[in-house]
Amino acid sequence: MKSLHHENGQNGLSTPRIIPRDEHPISRQHISDAALKVLYRLDGAGFDAFLVGGCIRDSLLGKMPKDFDVATNATPEQVRELFRNSRLIGRRFRIVHVRFGREIIEVTTFRGKPEGDHADHIARQSDAGLLLRDNVWGSIAEDALRRDFTVNALYYSIADYSLHDFADGVHDIQARKLRLIGDPATRYREDPVRMLRAMRFAAKLDFTLDEATEAPIYELAPLLLQIPPARLFDEVLKLFMAGHGLMTFRLLSHYGLFGMLFPEAEEAMADDAWVEDMVEAALTNTDRRIADGRPVTPAFLLAAFLWAPVASRQAALENDGMPGVPAMQTAAQQVISRQLHHTSIPKRFGMPMRDIWGLQERLAKRQGKRAFQTREHPRFRAAYDLLLLREQAGESPPGLGEWWTAFQSADEHEQRRLLSKVGSDPASQGTRRKRRRRKPRPNAE
Ligand code: ATP
Ligand code: MG
């Protein structure tokens, strides 16, 4: 692509720079058949149809797009009529999903300005500037300005295969910069999740945040506490289950955002140095599994994030005289209920998390038939993985993890030999927590 910079007209960003097909690298070969079908059918019915967002951004960076998003001037109802295989979703932000087998193409209608005298049911903003609903239709130029980052506001036209750049996104892609469109503080107040999106894209794309985009985050981070827990849970999955979890975590921590999602984990990290080591080890582990194409579950990662708060509550309850097992169940219950105020945790993850925690103590008790029973538990593997992380971080003394590593692959004879050693090994005395106070950070934000 040539000539990077583009002078915007008097009216701000509303005139796009149009980059013809022979001056950009995006080819139909890189676009899924499903996305092409949607684009051509909209075009054939007389509507404008563009690919927009992550798929264009990622293609320009030479990455495989994760999915394809379409923007059009057809209303959701008109899109519904064109595709039998489609459904309307969302209230806050109405869009249409068109399904082709396992692939879903997201079709959004151009959004206009939310201000003005529009009726409450199409656009609503709280007193604090939070956008509660955003369903005012508009032009493509208005739509571009409603998007978050300049690099996400590039449109690929199916009519002539040109690229429409409304906000200097091509320039920012080349400069590897994340820049919010418009006034950053206002855009974060409209939708605080944009702060999380900034972290996610910075980690995934290895981009830096533009100064003005970065500056308000430290102060506005607490706005995330207003976001419904279900939406934050979806975002948490995108943050940590996309292969760049460690980097994302470090960015979130740096900007004071991690504590808005997982306050108890954040507090535990401030108290004990091993906690952060363990969280980082869990993320490293998950990132590596994703890179290797192995399966990952959020339950394991969440169990690791919240292990320290669970363990310290359990210890406190035991100090007050409660036996170990109910103390663990109570601690798990309390930590999960507090977490639910911040991010939801669907039952299909909450149940395994409790199992993984509950198994930590059982892993130490191996006498008699216990080792064999624990080995058969459906969550044994995840619990064992968590134990390894705890040992690696220095929370529990080394030895037990190695014992289980040997036990799992041993034949019967060897297993009996391993069991005969259990009484004398220090790991069978239960876990001892190393309370290493965290060193104060040099310039903690
Ligand atoms: P990826 O799909 O790779 O995670 P993406 O940029 O496509 O990244 P999506 O969540 O699929 O992200 O959103 C598609 C597009 O919709 C974005 O590129 C952006 O233009 C716009 N968008 C999404 N969420 C927001 C938001 N919270 N505020 C403003 N615009 C948004
Ligand atoms: Mg997308």
Side-chain angles (χ1 to χ4, degrees), residues 67-346:
D67 48 38
F68 293 88
D69 300 313
V70 168
T72 179
N73 61 352
T75 64
E77 290 72 20
Q78 288 169 324
V79 177
R80 275 280 296 128
E81 276 168 32
L82 281 175
F83 301 95
R84 272 194 323 128
N85 49 331
S86 67
R87 56 195 203 107
L88 255 164
I89 62 156
R91 245 171 83 83
R92 197 184 65 86
F93 202 83
R94 280 167 66 218
I95 59 182
V96 181
H97 275 178
V98 187
R99 181 184 278 282
F100 297 86
R102 293 184 54 193
E103 189 174 354
I104 290 176
I105 306 297
E106 219 168 83
V107 184
T108 57
T109 303
F110 296 145
R111 252 67 182 178
K113 280 209 188 68
E115 306 95 37
D117 47 19
H118 293 292
D120 236 24
H121 65 279
I122 48 178
R124 250 177 62 168
Q125 211 157 4
S126 77
D127 295 339
L130 184 77
L131 212 47
L132 300 173
R133 222 163 271 170
D134 191 2
N135 290 315
V136 180
W137 314 140
S139 67
I140 182 170
E142 287 174 311
D143 186 77
L145 301 188
R146 305 292 316 138
R147 293 188 178 265
D148 47 6
F149 301 97
T150 60
V151 297
N152 286 345
L154 292 162
Y155 297 70
Y156 169 88
S157 162
I158 201 64
D160 62 3
Y161 314 123
S162 62
L163 213 52
H164 297 219
D165 182 357
F166 289 87
D168 253 356
V170 169
H171 174 256
D172 286 339
I173 280 185
Q174 277 159 344
R176 303 189 85 83
K177 271 232 142 69
L178 276 178
R179 193 159 54 88
L180 270 174
I181 298 170
D183 171 56
T186 309
R187 302 307 309 282
Y188 290 136
R189 282 182 210 282
E190 278 173 6
D191 183 3
V193 170
R194 288 171 185 151
M195 294 185 273
L196 300 179
R197 291 174 59 85
M199 303 299 117
R200 179 155 73 84
F201 295 131
K204 167 180 160 174
L205 308 170
D206 194 21
F207 274 29
T208 53
L209 297 181
D210 178 67
E211 228 172 281
T213 294
E214 174 182 37
I217 298 180
Y218 303 99
E219 201 189 316
L220 297 181
L223 293 178
L224 282 170
L225 301 173
Q226 307 172 4
I227 303 298
R231 183 164 179 227
L232 286 187
F233 181 75
D234 291 345
E235 213 51 43
V236 160
L237 293 185
K238 294 184 197 167
L239 288 166
F240 297 115
M241 307 301 287
H244 309 275
L246 180 63
M247 187 63 194
T248 308
F249 166 73
R250 288 185 174 161
L251 287 169
L252 288 167
S253 301
H254 174 85
Y255 289 100
L257 294 164
F258 186 76
M260 301 303 148
L261 300 171
F262 297 98
E264 292 217 25
E266 173 95 345
E267 284 159 27
M269 279 193 265
D271 289 344
D272 291 300
W274 64 266
V275 179
E276 185 169 358
D277 293 346
M278 199 192 81
V279 166
E280 292 214 342
L283 288 160
T284 305
N285 191 310
T286 300
D287 287 347
R288 194 174 311 132
R289 293 183 68 97
I290 292 169
D292 296 345
R294 286 182 287 159
V296 286
T297 163
F300 175 72
L301 205 57
L302 294 173
F305 281 3
L306 296 175
W307 166 250
V310 168
S312 69
R313 270 167 199 249
Q314 184 200 19
L317 291 165
E318 281 190 275
N319 267 343
D320 292 348
M322 197 186 274
V325 173
M328 168 55 73
Q329 284 165 353
T330 309
Q333 181 55 43
Q334 290 177 353
V335 168
I336 289 193
S337 350
R338 250 197 88 186
Q339 182 57 34
L340 293 177
H341 294 293
H342 299 272
T343 68
S344 59
I345 300 178

Side-chain angles (χ1 to χ4, degrees), residues 366 403 414 416-426 428:
R366 293 153 291 166
W403 188 93
E414 176 62 9
R416 269 199 299 274
R417 196 188 68 77
L418 285 163
L419 281 170
S420 72
K421 293 201 318 191
V422 163
S424 56
D425 93 44
S428 62

